[in-house]
Amino acid sequence: MYRQVLDPVSDSLGLSAIFAALPLVILFLLLGVLRITAWVSALIALVASVVIATVVYPMPVGQAVLSATLGAAFGFFPILWIVINAIWIYNMTVDTGHFDVLRRSFSRVSDDQRIQAIIIAFCFGALMEALGGFGTPVAISSVMLLALGFTPLRAAALALVANTAPVAFGALAVPITTLSTVTGLPVHDLGSMVGRQTPILAVIVPVVLVGIVDGWRGVRQTWLPAVVCGLAFAVAQYVTSNYISVPLTDIIASLFSAGAVVVLLRVWHPVTSGLVVPAVRPVAGGSVDNPDPAFQKRVAHPDSRKEELRSYAPYLIIIVIFIVAQIHPILHALDTVTRSFNWPGLHIENAAGKPSTVSVFKFNWLTAAGSLMFISGLVTAPVLGVSPIRALRAYGRTLRQLVWAIITVMAVLALAYVMNASGQTATLGNWMAGAGGAFAILSPILGWLGVAVTGSDTSSNSLFGALQVAAGTKAGLNTTLMAAANSSGGVLGKMISPQNLAIAAGAVGLVGKEGDIFRRVFGWSLAFLAGMCLLVYLQSTPVLDWMVP
């Protein structure tokens, strides 16, 4: 049995925090500054975390290694299990030509890449976040953007930046319900508070997406649909989370915002200035400057209604299966085979001497989002006319395509689990919690750090939720606000999480270029985080305390 010690260096949290932060500093320096391949960076950082856990912290080597194996297992299931099956479905649509049909159909809705980025990366990505969570929206929306003619780097950056505002309510509000469990605060209060923070972010993100696609010129020319989309999502997210249903928040917000943009496009059209008709071949490396005449011809002469319906079928199937799986009797039946168990040989107590939940592995092999995605693929194959042998070959090709992304994600989650199990992450959190009243500014940063390490807002809430409440109580701050700030700040760490970077890189064929993607989105992550810190601080003062329920 290993009992966590949070101040192993001279009984000082501050000195211990310096060592605790080293694995993360090493990871981001290797990835973002030295441009070393993500899987190599992750493995080096993992070794560093094990060394610190066993040399600086009093963690036995065997316990450190076992916690790393648990993290690697969690990295594969449920996280990579989602990504593998999502990319498998995409590969089948490419094989049959239905992704070409889909992109031609989208081009008729709007042939402007700036509008397509809003609809796919933000609206459709938010729907995927609401239904599946984890890496689902990044994996699916990035390949959709790629097929529509976006360059791989831009497609990945758009998918990651868009995956912010919806994350706090992702996967039917699992992050919020988890936060409620660890803090003891009501789900409705937490959902209402988050619903008064992330909608402000939602107003800004679509405008940023337009800027990523076409710079300031794009913002000037297409600010209207970007603002309409953001406002529609923000209003729906606020109203749903506060007055209707916390679990349904992102489903309603994503559909409402997409509908608002489509309605607007019936009466308004953007100034083009040449950034239209993204007629390029998916994956083949085309660009906006290299139009595909055959594609343009097919846009002018549409596919049959039947083929268009089949091209949308995989995503309709995904939505239907995910929604059906959430119906309570069905969910209960599927969940009967779920098994939770302590990882063999791993015995951890937290600093208070209570058994840690870090060592528990949940094998929900039927209710997991990846399993539902796999079932969606099995249904999709015959709809697209894909034979079992052809589907199996596509699966094998998908695994080969993602092999380095698989290694990266498993290494990053192994790193996260070693840091969590040894107490390194808790050291950082407790050190930040000693800031007193200024903790209102640091609270979102703590959530951001948790998601940057684990890649999951749910995991960050589980890790730091109770700490946020304890720090808030000690500093005289509203506990609901502090807990919600962990979730709202956490969403901004999603785009720089090595796990999500690996997923995006694997999806668009940029394996080994995760550092390039990281540099593309890191500035946005910090800018959004600064805004969230300011908002939470003002909500803790008389200036905006009326926003706290």
Side-chain angles (χ1 to χ4, degrees):
M1 179 70 71
Y2 167 65
R3 182 171 179 175
Q4 293 177 345
V5 178
L6 304 186
D7 52 357
V9 182
S10 302
D11 298 324
S12 168
L13 267 179
L15 292 176
S16 301
I18 294 174
F19 286 92
L22 279 179
L24 297 180
V25 173
I26 291 171
L27 177 60
F28 289 124
L29 280 178
L30 292 175
L31 193 63
V33 179
L34 300 180
R35 305 189 181 190
I36 294 177
T37 304
W39 69 270
V40 175
S41 301
L43 288 175
I44 293 174
L46 170 59
V47 171
S49 70
V50 172
V51 170
I52 290 171
T54 55
V55 176
V56 178
Y57 288 75
M59 190 177 200
V61 174
Q63 295 292 291
V65 172
L66 283 172
S67 62
T69 61
L70 173 57
F74 181 78
F76 189 85
F77 185 94
I79 295 170
L80 284 165
W81 183 231
I82 299 170
V83 181
I84 291 169
N85 291 310
I87 303 301
W88 172 49
I89 294 174
Y90 163 72
N91 282 337
M92 286 194 292
T93 65
V94 171
D95 285 349
T96 59
H98 286 94
F99 220 120
D100 279 331
V101 178
L102 181 68
R103 70 191 184 109
R104 289 191 289 265
S105 175
F106 265 108
S107 289
R108 284 190 295 277
V109 174
S110 174
D111 61 356
D112 192 306
Q113 283 191 321
R114 300 164 296 192
I115 307 298
Q116 291 170 346
I118 293 171
I119 295 175
I120 295 174
F122 189 77
C123 301
F124 187 73
L127 181 60
M128 289 295 97
E129 179 67 39
L131 296 173
F134 294 100
T136 309
V138 172
I140 292 182
S141 59
S142 60
V143 293
M144 290 185 72
L145 292 169
L146 185 69
L148 283 167
F150 289 78
T151 61
L153 181 59
R154 184 171 290 168
L158 288 168
L160 288 166
V161 172
N163 192 218
T164 47
V167 170
F169 294 98
L172 295 171
V174 169
I176 302 296
T177 56
T178 300
L179 187 61
S180 173
T181 300
V182 300
T183 62
L185 298 173
V187 170
H188 177 73
D189 290 352
L190 293 171
S192 297
M193 188 65 250
V194 173
R196 302 176 190 203
Q197 293 171 336
T198 55
I200 297 174
L201 182 66
V203 175
I204 301 170
V205 171
V207 179
V208 170
L209 297 180
V210 169
I212 292 175
V213 175
D214 193 30
W216 180 242
R217 179 186 68 169
V219 174
R220 290 199 316 269
Q221 295 175 354
T222 53
W223 65 269
L224 182 58
V227 171
V228 167
C229 177
L231 283 175
F233 190 94
V235 170
Q237 195 177 53
Y238 166 74
V239 172
T240 306
S241 62
N242 279 266
Y243 303 110
I244 301 177
S245 168
V246 173
L248 296 178
T249 297
D250 278 351
I251 295 177
I252 294 175
S254 60
L255 295 175
F256 186 69
S257 60
V261 174
V262 171
V263 170
L264 174 66
L265 292 177
R266 292 184 177 275
V267 297
W268 178 91
H269 299 284
V271 177
T272 58
S273 292
L275 194 75
V276 296
V277 192
V280 296
R281 299 181 185 279
V283 187
S287 67
V288 176
D289 300 323
N290 248 336
D292 176 4
F295 176 76
Q296 292 175 319
K297 183 177 180 182
R298 292 301 298 272
V299 172
H301 303 282
D303 300 281
S304 68
R305 184 61 60 87
K306 178 182 178 182
E307 288 304 301
E308 278 199 353
L309 182 60
R310 291 176 73 186
S311 73
Y312 282 94
Y315 305 99
L316 295 174
I317 290 169
I318 290 171
I319 292 170
V320 170
I321 287 178
F322 271 76
I323 290 176
V324 169
Q326 302 306 320
I327 298 174
H328 186 72
I330 297 175
L331 178 62
H332 178 73
L334 295 175
D335 207 34
T336 55
V337 297
T338 295
R339 295 291 180 267
S340 295
F341 57 89
N342 286 321
W343 197 249
L346 184 61
H347 306 289
I348 307 290
E349 287 183 347
N350 61 26
K354 297 180 180 179
S356 172
T357 58
V358 169
S359 60
V360 177
F361 185 80
K362 183 179 180 181
F363 188 52
N364 55 331
W365 62 280
L366 275 183
T367 58
S371 299
L372 299 179
M373 195 70 70
F374 180 71
I375 295 170
S376 301
L378 294 178
V379 177
T380 294
V383 171
L384 298 182
V386 178
S387 67
I389 295 298
R390 194 177 177 188
L392 186 61
R393 287 174 179 167
Y395 206 96
R397 188 170 68 254
T398 301
L399 290 174
R400 291 192 297 273
Q401 173 187 346
L402 295 175
V403 61
W404 297 115
I406 290 172
I407 294 173
T408 302
V409 172
M410 293 179 71
V412 167
L413 266 297
L415 161 68
Y417 268 68
V418 171
M419 291 187 65
N420 294 347
S422 64
Q424 294 173 56
T425 309
T427 294
L428 291 170
N430 279 272
W431 175 67
M432 294 175 66
F439 184 68
I441 299 176
L442 298 178
S443 178
I445 298 176
L446 190 56
W448 176 84
L449 177 66
V451 176
V453 174
T454 65
S456 165
D457 202 40
T458 300
S459 298
S460 177
N461 287 345
S462 177
L463 192 62
F464 289 137
L467 178 62
Q468 294 273 14
V469 170
T473 301
K474 183 178 178 180
L477 299 168
N478 185 281
T479 54
T480 299
L481 173 61
M482 293 300 98
N486 192 83
S487 192
S488 298
V491 306
L492 305 173
K494 196 80 179 282
M495 70 179 83
I496 63 165
S497 163
Q499 166 194 314
N500 274 358
L501 291 170
I503 289 170
V508 301
L510 288 179
V511 175
K513 301 291 185 181
E514 292 85 358
D516 293 338
I517 303 174
F518 174 79
R519 287 188 295 277
R520 190 75 178 266
V521 301
F522 184 66
W524 291 116
S525 179
L526 290 184
F528 288 151
L529 178 61
M532 186 61 68
C533 290
L534 177 61
L535 174 63
V536 172
Y537 173 71
L538 292 177
Q539 288 177 330
S540 71
T541 69
V543 177
L544 290 181
D545 62 358
W546 51 269
M547 295 181 68
V548 180

